[in-house]
């Protein structure tokens, strides 16, 4: 007898919702694993300082083929975590340790679209991604690219430097491009960093910039 | 609670139609990214000189995992663009900056077939792809390969050199092969080029050849 | 005429069930191909010594593109085999020579989930995976990582060493992580091994540990 | 407006049937591209000498991303061709120039299963694949591996050497393994060859062996 298993429980991504937060039109702030770990560090700072709470996890068959073992010997697969903040303007903070294989381009697209599908349910219309951009040590800049001139201007007014005629590689850029196509607005903030190590200083620069930026648009 | 997202919004390609052009039995002229950027340059020249207008965009999860940032800091994912021309014989001009990963062979097939599916709706039955072929500096040839002897002959009569006992690697050749299987007719024009740089001169040679060729078959 | 074959007989994995064993809430013990072949050797020892019987085979389109030829010249594709043991606590022993390509991350996820789907039918709620962990020659340890603190403790009490702040690469770890997400409990036992050769000694160490461990929880 | 193209015309393989041959329970003889081109040469010799006729073509999105250009400048994508022979025992001869990418393991499985699906329609129950096996120059052997001891014996009696404790890499072996699982019987004949060049001599050895073998089982 042959048993077919056409409906394997995880083909692509799936999102485990732990709780249904009462947030409305939140801004998504996403810090993916990346250059100098700036995205992850900024997300962590926001989570800690704003006392954001975990409400959903995303797992994907495009993530790495290993599990993480924590300090207690407990295993878990790579994942992203969604945290919510309800203060003035609602936020969803997204971070985690999953990453699609370098060569798996469809995996990159799939993860971005799964995230966008999910945040759309909360009427989220705006996203900010955080990453690093390689540059010489002496520079301490925050670059910005966005989905429209208007949004670019808002960030440039606050001191960000226009990022132009470049590419943003990986999820931080791709999700922004796909979001734009789907009618979201958004920006990618890139801290200049030498890039060869965990750059807490650059991350703190973005954190400060972002706090001030959000503060001036009815947040904090 | 587990939320499955089986219908991610982009699995494979999708085409955003901006406008429904009134074209009938157009010829598709496709200039993909490739050797010496000849395909892209020729397409750009045709678009500019014939005042072709954008009417559709193709996005694909097989394209690269980055976004392009333009001179204004605005991001967008890689894509192809379809332009229409209504002069004598109608044309669709296809060009763009998307490209499947070198190793993603199914992605190559998928993109070619998605393009053919789309242009079939306009009763398109004929395609011309433009690319480069590496050769020594002193040569200034235009090579041709096609879906039938009759079509090869039409181009050879106009001065093109038969391209034979070779392979054409990438989208320019593959779309022609798949088009043939589906009942389209078509040709691939390859400008000889040293190949290591943007070759505007070779592109101009193809442009001139193509203008004359189309002119003599009721075009221009 | 065009004949489409959309329902190719093996897209993903399929499991050939040879027999329906009367087992209830069995523990799955999985020894995949891996470091020092420890997983495979331990599984083989359990099968031989407990007279376990083959009842199902798993084939996957993610396995290698070759067939094995046995000593009689008979060919077969790579596969996993499921054996059942009915003694005190029921067991399913899983082992074999299939392995997904290093780069095929979705293939890793698919195989793990197909295995979990299959063993769920027998009300299996607990899994133990066996593998090796590279370490210096002089060490003779058994490391453990598990799905919860309680389970880790059970193994540590019996002499296993906590494996922590690490990753477990490949199927042994991934299936445990995915199992946890789906509500299974389980552990991964890793024998320290120099890693460059078939390590029967390390395998025997795990076998002895495991026999004693299972014996004390109503087994053997 | 967004136009989705979920039903691209070629996802996986498809087979274009040119004619419906009246063959019954044919043996499939498959010569895929491979070591020393032995499979392809033997298939070509059988086609020529038995005046086999083309009746179907297989195209696959797993094949290479290029088109072949023949001596007349005509392009076509890589493909396999099915030829039929009606003499005593009916035959299907399969050969061609398509090959899945080295890394695309699911592509290998898909192509094998699509071929098996197709030949099953003709009540084909037996397959013979032809390939090369690297060995020193002085050896002139024909190795055999098969789906059962009985079949191995038939070939060994006729002078073939048992191929054992090995692997057969690629389509020649994999299709045999998958065929066995689906209830076909079959064998793989491997000519010893130095492997670094087109080996017509080794191919002729297999051709002679195969002709005699088939002749003695009611063929030729």
């Amino acid at each position: 007898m042959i048993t077919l298993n056409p409906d394997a429980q995880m083909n692509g991504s799936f999102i485990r919702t732990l709780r249904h937060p009462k947030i409305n039109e939140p801004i998504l702030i996403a810090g993916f694993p990346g250059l100098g770990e700036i995205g992850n560090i900024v997300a962590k700072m926001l989570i800690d300082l704003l006392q954001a709470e975990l409400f959903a996890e995303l797992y994907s068959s495009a993530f790495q083929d290993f599990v993480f073992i924590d300090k207690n010997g407990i295993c878990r697969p790579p994942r992203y975590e969604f945290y919510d903040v309800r203060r003035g303007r609602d936020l969803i903070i997204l971070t985690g340790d999953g990453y699609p294989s370098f060569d798996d381009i469809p995996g990159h697209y799939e993860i971005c679209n799964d995230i966008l599908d999910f945040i759309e349910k909360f009427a989220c219309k705006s996203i900010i991604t955080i990453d690093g951009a390689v540059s010489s040590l002496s520079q301490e800049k925050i670059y910005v690219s966005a989905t429209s001139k208007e949004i670019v201007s808002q960030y440039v007014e606050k001191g960000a430097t226009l990022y132009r005629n470049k590419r943003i590689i990986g999820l931080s850029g791709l999700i922004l491009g796909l979001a734009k196509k789907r009618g979201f607005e958004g920006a990618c903030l890139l801290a200049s960093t030498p890039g060869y190590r965990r750059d807490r200083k650059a991350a703190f620069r973005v954190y400060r910039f972002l706090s001030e930026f959000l503060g001036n648009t009815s947040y904090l």
Side-chain angles (χ1 to χ4, degrees), chain A:
Chain A
M1 206 203 81
I2 286 171
T3 312
L4 283 161
N5 291 308
D7 55 344
Q9 200 160 341
M10 188 161 73
N11 199 351
S13 304
F14 80 89
I15 289 172
R16 176 152 54 177
T17 306
L18 308 170
R19 181 166 64 72
H20 291 276
K22 282 182 192 130
I23 47 180
N24 192 248
E25 297 196 19
I27 300 171
L28 174 77
I29 299 178
F32 297 107
L35 201 68
E37 293 186 41
I38 291 166
N40 277 163
I41 300 172
V42 172
K44 189 78 169 47
M45 291 175 76
L46 288 167
I47 291 163
D48 288 348
L49 293 165
L50 302 174
Q51 292 170 286
E53 281 175 60
L54 182 68
F55 72 94
E57 296 165 345
L58 180 150
Y59 295 87
S60 170
S61 64
F63 286 165
Q64 312 91 316
D65 68 333
F66 55 75
V67 286
F68 292 98
I69 313 298
D70 73 13
K71 66 180 196 297
N72 297 312
I74 313 303
C75 65
R76 65 166 181 79
R79 70 176 175 221
Y80 291 146
E81 295 171 339
F82 295 85
Y83 294 82
D84 70 305
V85 179
R86 276 157 294 170
R87 292 210 194 176
R89 178 75 185 255
D90 291 343
L91 300 182
I92 294 174
I93 301 168
L94 170 64
T95 190
D97 44 28
Y99 219 85
S101 159
F102 183 72
D103 290 333
D104 180 16
I105 308 305
H108 282 76
Y109 276 77
E110 187 177 87
I111 288 165
C112 288
N113 277 308
D114 287 346
I115 292 169
L116 295 173
D117 286 345
F118 182 65
I119 62 170
E120 257 183 349
K121 295 178 187 169
F122 300 99
C124 176
K125 291 168 183 164
S126 176
I127 75 176
I128 300 170
T129 62
I130 316 289
D131 215 325
V134 177
S135 69
S136 69
L137 271 162
S138 55
Q139 284 187 311
E140 294 203 349
K141 291 196 168 167
I142 290 170
Y143 294 103
V144 67
S145 161
T147 52
S148 72
K149 279 189 193 177
E150 292 67 36
I151 295 179
V152 167
S153 303
Q154 289 174 25
Y155 287 88
V156 170
E157 275 170 27
K158 302 289 177 193
T161 304
L162 190 60
Y163 196 67
R164 57 179 185 172
N165 295 327
K166 306 245 165 145
R167 297 168 178 184
I168 302 175
I169 291 173
L171 296 175
S172 296
L174 189 61
I175 198 171
L176 199 64
L178 297 178
K180 184 186 174 191
K181 254 178 344 108
R182 292 172 65 160
F184 288 78
E185 56 181 39
C188 181
L189 295 177
L190 301 126
S192 60
T193 175
Y196 50 78
R197 57 171 171 73
R198 214 162 176 271
D199 193 344
R200 285 187 62 81
K201 214 175 133 197
F204 189 62
R205 209 161 60 222
V206 177
Y207 172 74
R208 230 169 27 199
F209 178 91
L210 190 59
S211 297
E212 201 171 317
F213 181 83
L214 292 171
N216 283 347
T217 59
S218 91
Y219 185 73
L220 272 183

